[in-house]
Amino acid sequence: MEAEEERFPTLRQVLLLFVFLAQTCAEQEGYSVTEETESGSFVANLAKDIGLEVRELSRRKARVIFNNNKKHFLLNLQTGDLQVNEKLDREELCGPTEPCVLQFQVLLEDPLEVYRFKLLVRDINDNSPVFPEAKMILKIMENTLPGTVFPLKNAQDLDVGINNVQNYTIYPNFHFHVLTRNGSEGRKYPVLVLDKALDREEQAELRLTLKAVDGGAPPKSGTALVLIDVLDINDNAPEFVQPLYRAQILEDSSLGSLVVTVSARDLDMGINGQVFYSFFYGDEEITRTFALNELTGEITIIKKLDFEKSVSYEVDIKASDGAGLSGKCTVIIQVVDVNDNTPELTVASLTSSIPENSPETTIALFSVQDPDSGDNGKVVCSIQEDVPFTLKPSVENFFKLVTEGPLDRENQEQYIITITVTDLGTPRLKTQHNITVLVSDVNDNAPAFTKTSYTLFIQENNSPALHIGSVSATDRDAGANAQVTYSLLPPQDPHLPLASLVSINADNGHLFALRALDFEALQAFEFRVGATDRGSPALSSQALVRVQVLDANDNSPFVLYPLQNGSAPCTELVPRAAEPGYLVSKVVAVDADSGQNAWLSYQLLKATEPGLFGVWAHNGEVRTARLLSERDAARHRLVVLVKDNGEPPLSASVTLHVLLVDGFSQPYLPLPEAAADPAQADPLTVYLVIALASVSSLFLFSVLAFVAVRLCRRSRANWVSGCSVPEGHFSGHLVDVSGMGTLSQSYQYEVCLNGSSGTTSEFKFLKSVASKHLGSVNGVEEN
């Protein structure tokens, strides 16, 4: 209990006049205890009076707070009893104030409640009356008439009430008796009454004992010696101009400042008319605070005044002449308050960290006070305007610092609130107190990818485990709430083997290709990746990743015509009367690659007779380069090279056999390797073969023409629109080679030469319709 109370020393220093609570403040009945009661004595059972179970006191952290910052009592949390912690001295606690009431509060937390109690400290007669001076000297003229009254200095008793001084007596009392009179503040003071005329010649000096008795049980007393000098006649005592003086002085007046000047007159002459001023009795507080000029009667301050300690002083002044006669007046000095105390702020409870998104939350409960009075003691509280907090008044001088609404740690994670307490005095004084509030993180932000979609490129034939790119997501939260884990999400296409294609590093989002990719098998694929934080509950987001496989030149051109299947070579027949540019044949090839890797060019690699035939580089057409003559050999072997535009380029070659004939009516001449002796050939057989070939060719040509017309009508709108016709020598059209030259097969191609501004052109083989030897070409489309 004591350890817990020591954690709040500042709180106990400032709670002089106020108590606080959060929801309810109740004032209970008062208790009483006699001063000097032994430590540990029982005072009251607070748990019973408050209406709580004893176990509730510990749970709610009950503690006792006294306004004077003293540990007079303690609360036993095991029994709920309020016990005396130290012996009480009523005179030290309250001085002359009666009744002596101590106010204390019982503070309960969770929920916050305060109960206010009053404790009456009863006085016991533990102090005896004490005179300020052990010896008092009175000078009385011998002609003083009986009944004359002489004021005496009163005794001081620190006790109050009945235990204070109640009566004065004097002995021996042959010439005097003493009367007990009541002063303006309830004090009793003695006056000496002359009963019998004095005779200096009989007795020049009298010694009397003045006794002060209090009303305690048993009573206590104190004595002082009264020495009376009998003087010759001095029949005029000093008289003050006014019996009561009132003066005001500011509490911040400098030392030596004049308070008031008292004045007395004596009608006597000489030494009997000279007046001297002095304090009537030597009160220690008065003599330490004020100084009196014995000749002028000026009262000045010799000690700093403090309105908060004493608001007024009552000073008795004595004026004496040289012969011993005296008079008395009273000076009441009122201390005027000035604004010399800054407001005080004491934090009772503080929450330094709150979760973000919390509703209105109490951050701190604090009290404010100013020891000054009037407007100097009135205070106002405020905080800066740029923070989402507000001040709400609670009970008496308590305020709550609360949030205006939910806080967002991602916008600001720390606030420094400056509480300013200003009084209304002149000049205004203020106190500032800083409170630091930390906003703790809540997982309220999902990871966010830097892009909604990513496009990655990878060259085909890559090595396995190749890093192909990365995705990145950030989370505005902090700590584990901001730690992002990456994963692959199930693909939308159930046929896509995503798990065998790519993997992702869960920590950094790096993507890796798990196996070599083939552009010809898979040109592109897409999938979704997820980013999940480690908060509770976890939040996640998704992003789309598209992987584009880049083509590599890994496929050589493939020749569709002439067929290169190992069968007997095909021989092209060319009439010797053919003009230059006569179409002998056309080499048709495709490349499985794409782009420039599929751009094909043709060139004549070998020829039996160079210069007789030529190959068009873009379309593979083999044409005669000049007129034929009888001197030209009848059989020619041409090797055509087909090369793509990749890096490095790949190529394929094809061999053409050309036979020069005088006309198509001439019987077919076999190849040199298989040709028979012409003399042995049966002319009738040759004619039958030619007739049969002609009829078959005519039928096949009709069928192919019908199919080609239908296909061209269906696809021309789509294919022709995608072909750009360069400003060169070629445009998209149907090249019919069925009736040209001596080709042994009829075929028809739709071609488009796609040229650009450069010198290279791309030949696109769009569609083919061929005879039974080119049946495998139908439907081939290649870029």
Side-chain angles (χ1 to χ4, degrees), residues 251 304-311 313 335 340-341:
E251 64 172 324
K304 280 291 186 180
L305 303 177
D306 190 350
F307 174 86
E308 288 69 41
K309 291 184 178 180
S310 182
V311 299
Y313 296 89
V335 180
D340 59 344
N341 291 281

Side-chain angles (χ1 to χ4, degrees), residues 585-647:
S585 181
K586 181 180 178 70
V587 177
V588 180
V590 294
D591 196 312
D593 295 320
S594 66
Q596 67 178 14
N597 295 331
W599 295 353
L600 302 180
S601 61
Y602 304 84
Q603 68 183 66
L604 185 60
L605 187 62
K606 294 180 180 179
T608 303
E609 186 173 343
L612 180 59
F613 299 96
V615 178
W616 285 34
H618 296 297
N619 57 16
E621 293 181 352
V622 180
R623 295 178 180 269
T624 58
R626 59 177 176 80
L627 289 174
L628 303 178
S629 65
E630 294 295 332
R631 294 190 301 273
D632 295 327
R635 291 178 290 275
H636 294 268
R637 183 173 178 270
L638 306 178
V639 178
V640 178
L641 179 67
V642 183
K643 182 173 62 175
D644 61 25
N645 199 36
E647 185 62 38

Side-chain angles (χ1 to χ4, degrees), residues 12 19 32 46 62 103 213 239 275 286 292 311 367 390 408 430 435 464 504 566 585 619 700 725:
R12 296 196 298 267
V19 296
S32 64
L46 293 181
Q103 294 187 359
V213 181
E239 292 183 6
V275 178
I286 297 297
L292 176 62
V311 299
S367 63
T390 186
D408 189 356
K430 68 179 180 180
I435 293 178
I504 189 170
S585 181
N619 57 16
L700 181 61
V725 179

Side-chain angles (χ1 to χ4, degrees), residues 732-743:
H733 60 284
L734 289 175
V735 180
D736 188 355
V737 296
S738 60
M740 300 177 60
T742 59
L743 295 177

Side-chain angles (χ1 to χ4, degrees), residues 410-462:
E410 288 69 42
N411 290 334
Q412 188 167 345
E413 62 181 8
Q414 175 179 295
Y415 294 90
I416 299 179
I417 301 104
T418 300
I419 303 175
T420 302
V421 184
T422 307
D423 62 26
L424 302 181
T426 303
R428 295 194 173 189
L429 302 179
K430 68 179 180 180
T431 296
Q432 290 185 330
H433 183 83
N434 291 332
I435 293 178
T436 301
V437 178
L438 299 178
V439 183
S440 59
D441 186 53
V442 173
N443 192 26
D444 58 346
N445 290 278
F449 282 94
T450 56
K451 300 178 182 179
T452 57
S453 63
Y454 296 81
T455 300
L456 306 179
F457 298 92
I458 180 173
Q459 193 81 20
E460 68 172 328
N461 304 321
N462 58 285

